[in-house]
Amino acid sequence: MLFLIDYENVGNAGMKGCNYLDAQDQLIVFYSEAKKHMEQRSLENITASGCTFEICKLCKTGKNALDFYIASKLGELIGEGYGGIAAVVSSDGGFQAVRDYWEKRSDRKRRIVLSSCIEDAIVSGNENNERTRELKRLREKLPIGSFYSAYAERTRIKVMLKELFKDTPYENRIEDIQNMIEGKEKSSKVIYLSSLHLFGKKGGLEVYNRIKAGNALQKAEHA
C-alpha cells in the first residue's frame, strides 16, 4: 500500500498502526516547520518495517499548502504507474475531492482510502493479507463481562496448577501445561498425548497423572 501522511493534520495520532507496515509498503510523511517532531517509537517502527520511507517538508507556508503537495504527489505516482491502494492519512475532508477524481473521472478506476491513521487505512484497504485479518480480529468488540469471566477462570486454573507443580521440575512450565489442558474440545486422551509430546514419555506421564490427581482436567474443560 501507499501511505501519504498529512502529518501537520494528524500528528502522532495518525501514526497509529505504523508497526504493521511491511516491505511492500511505501510511506511518505508530509510535514511543516510548525510540526516537525514525531515520536521516536513511530520512526523506529517505520524504519524497522523495511517499507520505502520518504519525507517531504513544506517549503513555504500557505493555506492548504500541504494538501496540494499530497494531491500532487499522488498524481505523480499514479502517473508513473502506481496501481495499488493509496491511503491519504488525514482528517481533512477536502481530500474527498481527490478520491472522487481518481475513482470516478480517471480512465482507470483507482482505490483511494481516506483515514485518520495508518491502522484505519490498512483496515479500510481490506487487502487479503495477514495484517488486515489480524487488525480486524483485534478491533472486534467483545462483551466486557464475558471476557472478564474467562480471564478470572483462567487465572484460577493457573493458581491451581502452580500449587500442583510447586517444587517440581515443571513449575516453570505452567503456561505450557495450562495451554495443553484448556478447551472443551480437548479430551483426556488428547491431553495425555500432548503431555507425552511436550515432556517426553516419563515426564509426560508424570505431568498427566499429577493434573489428573488434582482434578485439573475436569476444571479446565469448562474454562
Side-chain angles (χ1 to χ4, degrees):
M1 280 183 71
L2 168 65
F3 299 88
L4 305 172
I5 313 295
D6 183 2
Y7 192 70
E8 189 176 55
N9 178 271
V10 296
N12 283 304
M15 305 311 296
K16 178 184 177 183
C18 62
N19 53 309
Y20 284 94
L21 294 169
D22 61 34
Q24 307 303 313
D25 296 321
Q26 180 176 0
L27 182 138
I28 308 174
V29 176
F30 295 83
Y31 71 106
S32 67
E33 184 66 22
K35 188 169 286 189
K36 61 180 181 180
H37 294 92
M38 184 183 294
E39 290 182 356
Q40 180 175 335
R41 59 180 171 179
S42 295
L43 290 167
E44 290 179 349
N45 280 331
I46 292 168
T47 53
S49 72
C51 73
T52 301
F53 176 37
E54 301 175 44
I55 61 172
C56 182
K57 186 177 181 181
L58 181 66
C59 295
K60 294 182 180 180
T61 59
K63 186 178 180 181
N64 299 324
L66 269 183
D67 297 357
F68 292 119
Y69 273 40
I70 293 170
S72 298
K73 186 63 177 180
L74 178 60
E76 175 189 331
L77 292 172
I78 290 177
E80 291 175 350
Y82 180 77
I85 299 172
V88 177
V89 178
S90 176
S91 296
D92 189 336
F95 285 109
Q96 180 66 50
V98 176
R99 181 169 69 177
D100 289 346
Y101 176 84
W102 287 109
E103 290 190 348
K104 298 176 182 178
R105 296 184 60 86
S106 174
D107 291 338
R108 179 181 172 188
K109 193 170 183 179
R110 311 282 179 174
R111 283 207 60 198
I112 311 296
V113 173
L114 306 181
S115 300
S116 60
C117 69
I118 292 172
E119 181 178 302
D120 287 350
I122 292 172
V123 173
S124 296
N126 200 31
E127 292 180 306
N128 183 23
N129 56 31
E130 185 58 35
R131 71 176 177 186
T132 301
R133 288 187 287 272
E134 174 68 4
L135 280 172
K136 286 182 176 180
R137 183 188 69 81
L138 292 173
R139 289 158 65 111
E140 182 182 355
K141 292 180 174 60
L142 302 175
I144 297 173
S146 299
F147 183 87
Y148 181 79
S149 295
Y151 160 78
E153 179 63 12
R154 183 170 172 81
T155 300
R156 186 187 65 79
I157 293 173
K158 185 175 184 179
V159 170
M160 179 184 62
L161 290 174
K162 282 184 175 180
E163 185 62 29
L164 278 176
F165 290 95
K166 184 179 180 181
D167 298 326
T168 73
Y170 314 103
E171 62 180 345
N172 294 324
R173 301 287 302 276
I174 297 301
E175 185 174 353
D176 291 334
I177 295 171
Q178 185 164 3
N179 290 335
M180 179 183 73
I181 68 174
E182 283 184 341
K184 294 180 180 180
E185 75 285 356
K186 294 183 179 179
S187 64
S188 296
K189 182 178 180 180
V190 170
I191 294 171
Y192 171 73
L193 293 174
S194 297
S195 185
L196 296 182
H197 176 73
L198 280 173
F199 303 101
K201 185 175 181 180
K202 182 179 178 181
L205 185 60
E206 181 182 349
V207 168
Y208 178 79
N209 286 335
R210 189 175 287 268
I211 58 179
K212 185 177 181 181
N215 202 30
L217 291 179
Q218 289 81 0
K219 294 177 181 178
E221 285 175 357
H222 302 288

